[in-house]
Amino acid sequence: MSRLLVCSPDHYQIAYEINPWMSVKRGADPTVARVQWTALVAMLEKNCGATLERIEPVAGLPDMVFTANAGVVAGRTVVLSQFRYKERRPEETQFERWFESRGYQVKRLPPGLYFEGAGDMLGTRDTWFGGYLQRSDIHAFRYVGEFLGREILPLELVDPRFYHLDTCFCPLSGGEVIWFPGAFDRYGQAAIMDRIPAAKRIAVSEEEAVRFACNAVCIGKHVVIPEGSPVTMGRLEQLGYAPHTVGLSEFIKSGGAAKCLTLALD
Ligand code: ARG
């Protein structure tokens, strides 16, 4: 079973610019955004068998739809995010309240450290990876690792277009990963290649990486991937996965897609 936290796009818009994808002059169409989001959640529930939990959207917090950035959840513990940009900081109390009211043990990092949750921390079966530099601080992972009792391998993100780890790296249920090597420095690339054997690495082209091919949601054998990445879909099929596509153009205008719109709760 897979439980995911989502937040409907009632107040979603491009209200500020905090990554290279966002332009206030090129707004998101609210009607199209709602249709796309509804299709995504329907696909997760009906085709992939996910259970969805919801948090109420809040006016003035347009990026709350990207629940991957709420924090990182392990069992009944959550390590809350501390956003780099002031525009997203008010989301912290919203997510904190949601977790507290549901009985989670809420852990906070020391003030002044940035950490953007599951957007920057992803695990395969035996290794956890933490993306840093663009949003999260490398030092945050020491605390997160202690809170959750996990070793986290830090990976430097060098391309501002791939500012969160989940925009360029996606672990799959069978131990494989989808990744865009160009988003990492040489050490990061070597660390990934050291931990994940070649047969389990799906390297995507830049062309598909900018269509958010790595921002996929994997639930068992199902992989929900943003449209426009046929080569990656073919590789997934060869590995025995069932890929499903969904159009998420209005969210890509904000620098997010399928994975960013969900937070794994178990
Ligand atoms: N506009 C949001 C931001 O820049 C998008 C967040 C996407 N989330 C993610 N997990 N990659 O913060």
Side-chain angles (χ1 to χ4, degrees), residues 27-264:
D29 181 318
T31 311
V32 179
R34 160 141 324 258
V35 169
Q36 292 180 335
W37 185 87
T38 305
L40 170 69
V41 299
M43 183 169 286
L44 290 167
E45 274 183 314
K46 300 198 181 93
N47 301 46
C48 309
T51 305
L52 301 184
E53 303 227 12
R54 286 154 204 269
I55 182 168
E56 266 312 293
V58 175
L61 300 179
D63 277 342
M64 243 185 104
V65 286
F66 300 112
T67 50
N69 299 124
V72 132
V73 181
R76 296 299 295 167
T77 302
V78 59
V79 184
L80 280 187
S81 289
Q82 296 185 163
F83 287 95
R84 180 168 295 270
Y85 292 105
K86 64 173 186 328
E87 288 84 348
R88 294 198 66 182
R89 280 184 207 144
E91 294 178 37
E92 292 168 15
T93 46
Q94 300 298 328
F95 288 121
E96 177 175 25
R97 241 181 262 154
W98 191 89
F99 284 110
E100 259 170 7
S101 67
R102 278 152 189 85
Y104 282 83
Q105 195 187 3
V106 177
K107 301 279 193 188
R108 269 174 225 84
L109 300 173
L113 265 190
Y114 301 125
F115 171 61
E116 298 203 356
D120 268 335
M121 198 184 128
L122 297 166
T124 58
R125 271 186 297 212
D126 24 54
T127 313
W128 281 84
F129 298 90
Y132 71 93
L133 194 68
Q134 308 282 338
R135 293 293 181 89
S136 299
D137 288 320
I138 188 168
H139 300 297
F141 295 114
R142 216 184 69 214
Y143 295 92
V144 180
E146 263 168 39
F147 285 146
L148 302 180
R150 283 176 183 161
E151 199 203 328
I152 303 165
L153 201 75
L155 299 172
E156 185 173 319
L157 302 177
V158 296
D159 184 332
R161 293 173 302 171
F162 304 99
Y163 58 93
H164 277 141
L165 185 62
D166 69 1
T167 62
C168 50
F169 187 81
C170 177
L172 302 173
S173 54
E176 303 89 348
V177 297
I178 310 172
W179 71 312
F180 174 56
F184 302 91
D185 68 356
R186 277 196 308 130
Y187 298 99
Q189 291 178 4
I192 291 168
M193 293 192 286
D194 181 54
R195 302 290 173 118
I196 295 145
K200 292 195 173 232
R201 298 192 303 260
I202 305 178
V204 310
S205 64
E206 179 164 6
E207 199 189 348
E208 295 198 354
V210 297
R211 295 196 198 114
F212 280 68
C214 302
N215 204 251
V217 182
C218 179
I219 299 168
K221 283 288 163 198
H222 297 281
V223 182
V224 179
I225 178 167
E227 69 186 357
S229 293
V231 178
T232 306
M233 289 196 41
R235 299 283 312 273
L236 287 167
E237 269 165 12
Q238 281 166 8
L239 289 167
Y241 288 94
H244 311 269
T245 52
V246 40
L248 291 169
S249 59
E250 299 317 290
F251 298 96
I252 289 177
K253 289 176 180 171
S254 188
K259 169 59 176 45
C260 310
L261 291 166
T262 65
L263 175 70

